[in-house]
Every structure is written in C-alpha cells, then in structure tokens.
C-alpha cells in the first residue's frame, strides 16, 4: 500500500491510498476517520491497527448502505452525492457499489486484501474472504468499461458535489 499524491499539488482531493486492489480518496478516508473519532472516543477502540481498521471499515460499510456520508465540517454536503458531467446516470451508484464490494472483502480479511498473496503461518484460506474477493473481481470485470470511464471522470474532476437539503445523521 502507498500514499499517492499529485506532484506539486497541495489539494487534499488529489491524495489517495492505493493498494493493488483498492483506491480510496483521501477526503473519504479523512471524513470517515473524523466521524469515527467522534463516535468511538475510547482509547481501547484504537489499541491495535486491526481494531482501528475494523472501526473505520464498519462505519464506511454503514454509510455506503445508507448512501449517505455527511461531510464532517459541511454537514449538508453528502460526500457520496456527486453529479457526474455525463448523461449516463450509472456512474454515481457504480462508484458506491464497487466501494461496497471492496469494503466487504476487506472486512472479511483485511490482511489478505491489503497484502495479496499473504498467508499467515498455519492458517487456512479464509473462505468468506475468497468469496467476497471473487465477487469483487467479477463485478469489476462486468463493469470494466464503466469503471474506466468513472476513473477518467474522477481524475479530471468531471463532477460536482451537491448539497442535500435534508439532514441525515450517521
């Protein structure tokens, strides 16, 4: 896994976390972390990397199911509410669906997801993880062209974030 940022840019939106399987934008990670710190303020929740990751992914899974993640400082702004500059309305739900598949696979076995080929000594293959990782691969294969177009639009910032008028809580 590495942190990737556009050279010469100081925009947080240009930073993302990338592994072979996953790419999550910095502003999404930052928002999830801020909300998790507010909700889980006990030291014991954050004692290990694995428990911290499970807390973050659990909230991300919850917000993906609701399709609503309020910006931490600008709460009328739903991080998931993007309008892409295209007539095809598949891209917004597609981006949330692929992220939901990634979160599901990561929750099944975070180490195997983030470090492909990693096997703990004496451990058998995690069947739940294998099923979720296969579902993610198949989903990406079925929607390859749409995902490629979505990535292009994200890279070129061909969307606008839209404020919601309704107040929703996590």
């Amino acid at each position: 896994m590495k942190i990737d940022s556009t050279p010469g840019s100081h925009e947080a939106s240009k930073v993302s976390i990338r592994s072979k399987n996953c790419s999550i934008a910095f502003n999404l990670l930052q928002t999830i972390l801020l909300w998790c710190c507010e909700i889980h303020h006990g030291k014991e929740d954050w004692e290990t990397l694995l428990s911290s990751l499970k807390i973050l992914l659990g909230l991300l899974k919850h917000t993906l199911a609701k399709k609503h993640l309020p910006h931490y400082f600008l709460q009328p702004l739903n991080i998931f509410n993007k309008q892409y500059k295209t007539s095809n309305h598949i891209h917004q739900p597609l981006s949330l669906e692929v992220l939901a598949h990634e979160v599901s696979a990561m929750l099944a076995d975070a180490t195997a997801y983030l470090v492909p080929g990693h096997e703990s000594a004496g451990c058998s293959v995690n069947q739940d993880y294998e099923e979720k990782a296969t579902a993610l691969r198949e989903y990406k294969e079925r929607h390859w062209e749409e995902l490629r177009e979505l990535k292009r639009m994200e890279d070129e910032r061909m969307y606008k974030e839209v404020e919601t008028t309704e107040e929703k809580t996590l």
Side-chain angles (χ1 to χ4, degrees):
M1 183 185 335
K2 67 178 182 173
I3 297 177
D4 180 23
S5 86
T6 304
S9 173
H10 299 292
E11 296 177 32
S13 62
K14 298 288 185 186
V15 178
S16 62
I17 303 298
R18 297 185 189 279
S19 75
K20 183 176 180 184
N21 296 326
C22 182
S23 176
I24 302 175
F26 178 77
N27 65 337
L28 177 60
L29 291 170
Q30 180 184 41
T31 302
I32 290 291
L33 179 61
L34 289 169
W35 282 116
C36 281
C37 287
E38 186 169 308
I39 295 167
H40 300 275
H41 40 76
K43 180 180 136 182
E44 63 280 354
D45 293 334
W46 303 98
E47 285 184 353
T48 69
L49 180 59
L50 188 57
S51 67
S52 301
L53 185 60
K54 285 182 178 181
I55 287 170
L56 294 167
L57 291 173
L59 182 60
L60 183 53
K61 181 179 179 180
H62 172 76
T63 59
L64 282 165
K66 292 174 72 173
K67 295 181 176 37
H68 185 80
L69 174 59
H71 188 284
Y72 189 77
F73 299 106
L74 306 170
Q75 292 181 15
L77 190 63
N78 178 4
I79 298 288
F80 296 147
N81 197 11
K82 291 182 180 177
Q83 286 184 340
Y84 290 93
K85 297 175 182 172
T86 179
S87 61
N88 189 346
H89 297 290
I90 191 173
H91 294 101
Q92 196 268 347
L94 181 68
S95 66
L96 297 181
E97 187 68 28
V98 76
L99 185 55
H101 278 289
E102 288 177 350
V103 168
S104 182
M106 205 180 298
L107 277 168
D109 189 339
T111 304
Y113 184 85
L114 293 171
V115 186
H118 172 73
E119 288 186 30
S120 302
C123 285
S124 60
V125 175
N126 180 332
Q127 188 65 32
D128 186 36
Y129 167 74
E130 289 299 323
E131 289 171 6
K132 292 192 179 357
T134 299
L136 172 61
R137 270 191 308 278
E138 290 171 355
Y139 186 84
K140 285 182 173 182
E141 287 170 7
R142 276 194 316 274
H143 298 285
W144 182 81
E145 288 185 31
E146 295 95 345
L147 288 169
R148 189 179 67 184
E149 178 65 9
L150 177 64
K151 180 173 180 358
R152 183 188 69 77
M153 288 190 293
E154 286 282 336
D155 290 346
E156 296 176 15
R157 298 196 48 87
M158 294 178 63
Y159 62 86
K160 64 180 180 178
E161 293 173 338
V162 181
E163 284 190 27
T164 57
T165 55
E166 61 195 58
E167 291 239 0
K168 286 188 178 179
T169 59
L170 293 175

PDB file of all heavy atoms in Angstrom, residues 1 8 13 18 24 35 40 46-47 79 107 109 121 126 128 130 144 148 165 170:
ATOM      1  N   MET A   1       0.854  -1.153   0.000  1.00  0.00           N
ATOM      2  CA  MET A   1       0.000   0.000   0.000  1.00  0.00           C
ATOM      3  C   MET A   1       0.903   1.219   0.000  1.00  0.00           C
ATOM      4  O   MET A   1       1.944   1.227   0.609  1.00  0.00           O
ATOM      5  CB  MET A   1      -0.883   0.004   1.246  1.00  0.00           C
ATOM      6  CG  MET A   1      -1.833   1.136   1.253  1.00  0.00           C
ATOM      7  SD  MET A   1      -2.846   1.338   2.734  1.00  0.00           S
ATOM      8  CE  MET A   1      -2.925  -0.238   3.450  1.00  0.00           C
ATOM      9  N   GLY A   8       3.466  18.473  -6.872  1.00  0.00           N
ATOM     10  CA  GLY A   8       3.263  19.912  -6.945  1.00  0.00           C
ATOM     11  C   GLY A   8       1.886  20.366  -6.521  1.00  0.00           C
ATOM     12  O   GLY A   8       1.589  21.546  -6.550  1.00  0.00           O
ATOM     13  N   SER A  13      -7.794  16.583  -2.189  1.00  0.00           N
ATOM     14  CA  SER A  13      -8.569  15.688  -3.043  1.00  0.00           C
ATOM     15  C   SER A  13      -7.705  14.927  -4.032  1.00  0.00           C
ATOM     16  O   SER A  13      -8.148  13.988  -4.653  1.00  0.00           O
ATOM     17  CB  SER A  13      -9.643  16.480  -3.794  1.00  0.00           C
ATOM     18  OG  SER A  13      -9.032  17.426  -4.635  1.00  0.00           O
ATOM     19  N   ARG A  18      -3.603   3.766  -2.096  1.00  0.00           N
ATOM     20  CA  ARG A  18      -3.711   2.783  -3.158  1.00  0.00           C
ATOM     21  C   ARG A  18      -3.003   1.488  -2.761  1.00  0.00           C
ATOM     22  O   ARG A  18      -1.903   1.510  -2.254  1.00  0.00           O
ATOM     23  CB  ARG A  18      -3.085   3.304  -4.450  1.00  0.00           C
ATOM     24  CG  ARG A  18      -3.766   4.518  -4.996  1.00  0.00           C
ATOM     25  CD  ARG A  18      -3.173   4.921  -6.343  1.00  0.00           C
ATOM     26  NE  ARG A  18      -3.670   6.199  -6.764  1.00  0.00           N
ATOM     27  CZ  ARG A  18      -4.839   6.413  -7.345  1.00  0.00           C
ATOM     28  NH1 ARG A  18      -5.650   5.416  -7.572  1.00  0.00           N
ATOM     29  NH2 ARG A  18      -5.214   7.611  -7.706  1.00  0.00           N
ATOM     30  N   ILE A  24      -8.846   4.495  -2.379  1.00  0.00           N
ATOM     31  CA  ILE A  24      -9.845   5.271  -1.654  1.00  0.00           C
ATOM     32  C   ILE A  24      -9.328   6.695  -1.527  1.00  0.00           C
ATOM     33  O   ILE A  24      -8.218   6.923  -1.062  1.00  0.00           O
ATOM     34  CB  ILE A  24     -10.123   4.672  -0.256  1.00  0.00           C
ATOM     35  CG1 ILE A  24     -10.598   3.224  -0.380  1.00  0.00           C
ATOM     36  CG2 ILE A  24     -11.151   5.508   0.486  1.00  0.00           C
ATOM     37  CD1 ILE A  24     -10.783   2.522   0.948  1.00  0.00           C
ATOM     38  N   TRP A  35     -15.400  11.165  11.731  1.00  0.00           N
ATOM     39  CA  TRP A  35     -16.649  10.673  12.316  1.00  0.00           C
ATOM     40  C   TRP A  35     -16.383   9.535  13.310  1.00  0.00           C
ATOM     41  O   TRP A  35     -16.997   9.468  14.372  1.00  0.00           O
ATOM     42  CB  TRP A  35     -17.629  10.219  11.236  1.00  0.00           C
ATOM     43  CG  TRP A  35     -18.342  11.357  10.567  1.00  0.00           C
ATOM     44  CD1 TRP A  35     -18.265  11.723   9.256  1.00  0.00           C
ATOM     45  CD2 TRP A  35     -19.252  12.279  11.170  1.00  0.00           C
ATOM     46  NE1 TRP A  35     -19.065  12.815   9.005  1.00  0.00           N
ATOM     47  CE2 TRP A  35     -19.686  13.176  10.172  1.00  0.00           C
ATOM     48  CE3 TRP A  35     -19.747  12.439  12.458  1.00  0.00           C
ATOM     49  CZ2 TRP A  35     -20.584  14.217  10.413  1.00  0.00           C
ATOM     50  CZ3 TRP A  35     -20.643  13.479  12.708  1.00  0.00           C
ATOM     51  CH2 TRP A  35     -21.047  14.343  11.694  1.00  0.00           C
ATOM     52  N   HIS A  40     -16.310   6.820  18.388  1.00  0.00           N
ATOM     53  CA  HIS A  40     -15.513   5.866  19.189  1.00  0.00           C
ATOM     54  C   HIS A  40     -14.359   6.621  19.843  1.00  0.00           C
ATOM     55  O   HIS A  40     -13.230   6.562  19.375  1.00  0.00           O
ATOM     56  CB  HIS A  40     -14.952   4.742  18.301  1.00  0.00           C
ATOM     57  CG  HIS A  40     -15.984   3.931  17.613  1.00  0.00           C
ATOM     58  ND1 HIS A  40     -16.598   2.871  18.219  1.00  0.00           N
ATOM     59  CD2 HIS A  40     -16.535   4.029  16.381  1.00  0.00           C
ATOM     60  CE1 HIS A  40     -17.484   2.342  17.381  1.00  0.00           C
ATOM     61  NE2 HIS A  40     -17.456   3.038  16.260  1.00  0.00           N
ATOM     62  N   TRP A  46      -9.025   1.894  19.744  1.00  0.00           N
ATOM     63  CA  TRP A  46      -7.966   2.213  18.785  1.00  0.00           C
ATOM     64  C   TRP A  46      -6.628   1.580  19.154  1.00  0.00           C
ATOM     65  O   TRP A  46      -5.582   1.997  18.644  1.00  0.00           O
ATOM     66  CB  TRP A  46      -7.810   3.739  18.699  1.00  0.00           C
ATOM     67  CG  TRP A  46      -9.083   4.415  18.318  1.00  0.00           C
ATOM     68  CD1 TRP A  46      -9.988   5.003  19.149  1.00  0.00           C
ATOM     69  CD2 TRP A  46      -9.616   4.549  17.005  1.00  0.00           C
ATOM     70  NE1 TRP A  46     -11.045   5.495  18.439  1.00  0.00           N
ATOM     71  CE2 TRP A  46     -10.842   5.238  17.113  1.00  0.00           C
ATOM     72  CE3 TRP A  46      -9.179   4.159  15.730  1.00  0.00           C
ATOM     73  CZ2 TRP A  46     -11.630   5.541  16.010  1.00  0.00           C
ATOM     74  CZ3 TRP A  46      -9.965   4.461  14.635  1.00  0.00           C
ATOM     75  CH2 TRP A  46     -11.178   5.142  14.780  1.00  0.00           C
ATOM     76  N   GLU A  47      -6.619   0.552  20.008  1.00  0.00           N
ATOM     77  CA  GLU A  47      -5.371  -0.005  20.506  1.00  0.00           C
ATOM     78  C   GLU A  47      -4.562  -0.760  19.461  1.00  0.00           C
ATOM     79  O   GLU A  47      -3.345  -0.750  19.510  1.00  0.00           O
ATOM     80  CB  GLU A  47      -5.635  -0.890  21.726  1.00  0.00           C
ATOM     81  CG  GLU A  47      -5.942  -0.061  22.959  1.00  0.00           C
ATOM     82  CD  GLU A  47      -6.118  -0.893  24.209  1.00  0.00           C
ATOM     83  OE1 GLU A  47      -6.141  -2.138  24.122  1.00  0.00           O
ATOM     84  OE2 GLU A  47      -6.243  -0.287  25.280  1.00  0.00           O
ATOM     85  N   ILE A  79     -20.887  13.377   1.016  1.00  0.00           N
ATOM     86  CA  ILE A  79     -19.684  13.002   0.277  1.00  0.00           C
ATOM     87  C   ILE A  79     -20.027  12.077  -0.899  1.00  0.00           C
ATOM     88  O   ILE A  79     -19.388  12.113  -1.935  1.00  0.00           O
ATOM     89  CB  ILE A  79     -18.660  12.298   1.199  1.00  0.00           C
ATOM     90  CG1 ILE A  79     -18.211  13.230   2.325  1.00  0.00           C
ATOM     91  CG2 ILE A  79     -17.476  11.750   0.429  1.00  0.00           C
ATOM     92  CD1 ILE A  79     -17.303  14.346   1.924  1.00  0.00           C
ATOM     93  N   LEU A 107     -13.282  -6.287   5.036  1.00  0.00           N
ATOM     94  CA  LEU A 107     -13.762  -6.682   6.366  1.00  0.00           C
ATOM     95  C   LEU A 107     -13.635  -8.185   6.591  1.00  0.00           C
ATOM     96  O   LEU A 107     -13.432  -8.623   7.720  1.00  0.00           O
ATOM     97  CB  LEU A 107     -15.214  -6.248   6.562  1.00  0.00           C
ATOM     98  CG  LEU A 107     -15.424  -4.800   6.998  1.00  0.00           C
ATOM     99  CD1 LEU A 107     -16.893  -4.411   6.879  1.00  0.00           C
ATOM    100  CD2 LEU A 107     -14.919  -4.579   8.421  1.00  0.00           C
ATOM    101  N   ASP A 109     -11.200 -10.149   5.531  1.00  0.00           N
ATOM    102  CA  ASP A 109      -9.810 -10.422   5.894  1.00  0.00           C
ATOM    103  C   ASP A 109      -8.948  -9.266   5.406  1.00  0.00           C
ATOM    104  O   ASP A 109      -8.487  -9.253   4.265  1.00  0.00           O
ATOM    105  CB  ASP A 109      -9.331 -11.736   5.284  1.00  0.00           C
ATOM    106  CG  ASP A 109      -7.966 -12.175   5.816  1.00  0.00           C
ATOM    107  OD1 ASP A 109      -7.206 -11.322   6.325  1.00  0.00           O
ATOM    108  OD2 ASP A 109      -7.652 -13.371   5.709  1.00  0.00           O
ATOM    109  N   ALA A 121       1.145 -18.035   8.899  1.00  0.00           N
ATOM    110  CA  ALA A 121       1.634 -19.391   9.145  1.00  0.00           C
ATOM    111  C   ALA A 121       0.578 -20.215   9.863  1.00  0.00           C
ATOM    112  O   ALA A 121       0.005 -19.765  10.851  1.00  0.00           O
ATOM    113  CB  ALA A 121       2.912 -19.337   9.969  1.00  0.00           C
ATOM    114  N   ASN A 126      -9.211 -18.141   4.164  1.00  0.00           N
ATOM    115  CA  ASN A 126     -10.459 -17.609   4.680  1.00  0.00           C
ATOM    116  C   ASN A 126     -11.499 -17.686   3.558  1.00  0.00           C
ATOM    117  O   ASN A 126     -11.450 -16.924   2.598  1.00  0.00           O
ATOM    118  CB  ASN A 126     -10.232 -16.165   5.148  1.00  0.00           C
ATOM    119  CG  ASN A 126     -11.478 -15.524   5.713  1.00  0.00           C
ATOM    120  OD1 ASN A 126     -12.601 -15.865   5.352  1.00  0.00           O
ATOM    121  ND2 ASN A 126     -11.270 -14.569   6.593  1.00  0.00           N
ATOM    122  N   ASP A 128     -14.717 -16.936   3.469  1.00  0.00           N
ATOM    123  CA  ASP A 128     -15.542 -15.738   3.344  1.00  0.00           C
ATOM    124  C   ASP A 128     -14.805 -14.673   2.526  1.00  0.00           C
ATOM    125  O   ASP A 128     -15.382 -14.052   1.632  1.00  0.00           O
ATOM    126  CB  ASP A 128     -15.895 -15.201   4.733  1.00  0.00           C
ATOM    127  CG  ASP A 128     -16.881 -14.046   4.687  1.00  0.00           C
ATOM    128  OD1 ASP A 128     -17.781 -14.066   3.814  1.00  0.00           O
ATOM    129  OD2 ASP A 128     -16.762 -13.132   5.524  1.00  0.00           O
ATOM    130  N   GLU A 130     -12.353 -15.186   0.352  1.00  0.00           N
ATOM    131  CA  GLU A 130     -12.209 -15.662  -1.029  1.00  0.00           C
ATOM    132  C   GLU A 130     -13.487 -15.416  -1.828  1.00  0.00           C
ATOM    133  O   GLU A 130     -13.441 -14.992  -2.979  1.00  0.00           O
ATOM    134  CB  GLU A 130     -11.840 -17.154  -1.060  1.00  0.00           C
ATOM    135  CG  GLU A 130     -10.428 -17.441  -0.588  1.00  0.00           C
ATOM    136  CD  GLU A 130      -9.354 -16.770  -1.440  1.00  0.00           C
ATOM    137  OE1 GLU A 130      -9.522 -16.686  -2.677  1.00  0.00           O
ATOM    138  OE2 GLU A 130      -8.358 -16.317  -0.863  1.00  0.00           O
ATOM    139  N   TRP A 144     -16.130  -3.213 -16.412  1.00  0.00           N
ATOM    140  CA  TRP A 144     -14.800  -2.688 -16.706  1.00  0.00           C
ATOM    141  C   TRP A 144     -14.842  -1.358 -17.456  1.00  0.00           C
ATOM    142  O   TRP A 144     -14.182  -0.399 -17.072  1.00  0.00           O
ATOM    143  CB  TRP A 144     -14.007  -3.739 -17.506  1.00  0.00           C
ATOM    144  CG  TRP A 144     -12.627  -3.283 -17.802  1.00  0.00           C
ATOM    145  CD1 TRP A 144     -11.560  -3.328 -16.953  1.00  0.00           C
ATOM    146  CD2 TRP A 144     -12.148  -2.707 -19.012  1.00  0.00           C
ATOM    147  NE1 TRP A 144     -10.449  -2.811 -17.563  1.00  0.00           N
ATOM    148  CE2 TRP A 144     -10.788  -2.420 -18.832  1.00  0.00           C
ATOM    149  CE3 TRP A 144     -12.738  -2.402 -20.230  1.00  0.00           C
ATOM    150  CZ2 TRP A 144     -10.009  -1.845 -19.823  1.00  0.00           C
ATOM    151  CZ3 TRP A 144     -11.957  -1.827 -21.207  1.00  0.00           C
ATOM    152  CH2 TRP A 144     -10.605  -1.555 -21.013  1.00  0.00           C
ATOM    153  N   ARG A 148     -13.689   2.271 -15.974  1.00  0.00           N
ATOM    154  CA  ARG A 148     -12.605   3.025 -16.620  1.00  0.00           C
ATOM    155  C   ARG A 148     -13.052   4.461 -16.891  1.00  0.00           C
ATOM    156  O   ARG A 148     -12.323   5.413 -16.641  1.00  0.00           O
ATOM    157  CB  ARG A 148     -12.167   2.338 -17.912  1.00  0.00           C
ATOM    158  CG  ARG A 148     -10.911   2.953 -18.517  1.00  0.00           C
ATOM    159  CD  ARG A 148     -10.501   2.240 -19.746  1.00  0.00           C
ATOM    160  NE  ARG A 148     -11.548   2.490 -20.751  1.00  0.00           N
ATOM    161  CZ  ARG A 148     -11.577   1.964 -21.948  1.00  0.00           C
ATOM    162  NH1 ARG A 148     -10.658   1.112 -22.305  1.00  0.00           N
ATOM    163  NH2 ARG A 148     -12.529   2.252 -22.788  1.00  0.00           N
ATOM    164  N   THR A 165     -30.655  18.984   1.086  1.00  0.00           N
ATOM    165  CA  THR A 165     -31.438  19.856   1.949  1.00  0.00           C
ATOM    166  C   THR A 165     -31.893  19.132   3.204  1.00  0.00           C
ATOM    167  O   THR A 165     -32.146  19.750   4.213  1.00  0.00           O
ATOM    168  CB  THR A 165     -32.688  20.381   1.192  1.00  0.00           C
ATOM    169  OG1 THR A 165     -33.414  19.269   0.688  1.00  0.00           O
ATOM    170  CG2 THR A 165     -32.277  21.292   0.058  1.00  0.00           C
ATOM    171  N   LEU A 170     -25.497   9.951  10.918  1.00  0.00           N
ATOM    172  CA  LEU A 170     -24.853   8.666  10.646  1.00  0.00           C
ATOM    173  C   LEU A 170     -25.661   7.593  11.313  1.00  0.00           C
ATOM    174  O   LEU A 170     -25.863   6.551  10.964  1.00  0.00           O
ATOM    175  CB  LEU A 170     -23.428   8.665  11.186  1.00  0.00           C
ATOM    176  CG  LEU A 170     -22.483   9.619  10.488  1.00  0.00           C
ATOM    177  CD1 LEU A 170     -21.154   9.619  11.191  1.00  0.00           C
ATOM    178  CD2 LEU A 170     -22.294   9.227   9.049  1.00  0.00           C
TER     179      LEU A 170
END
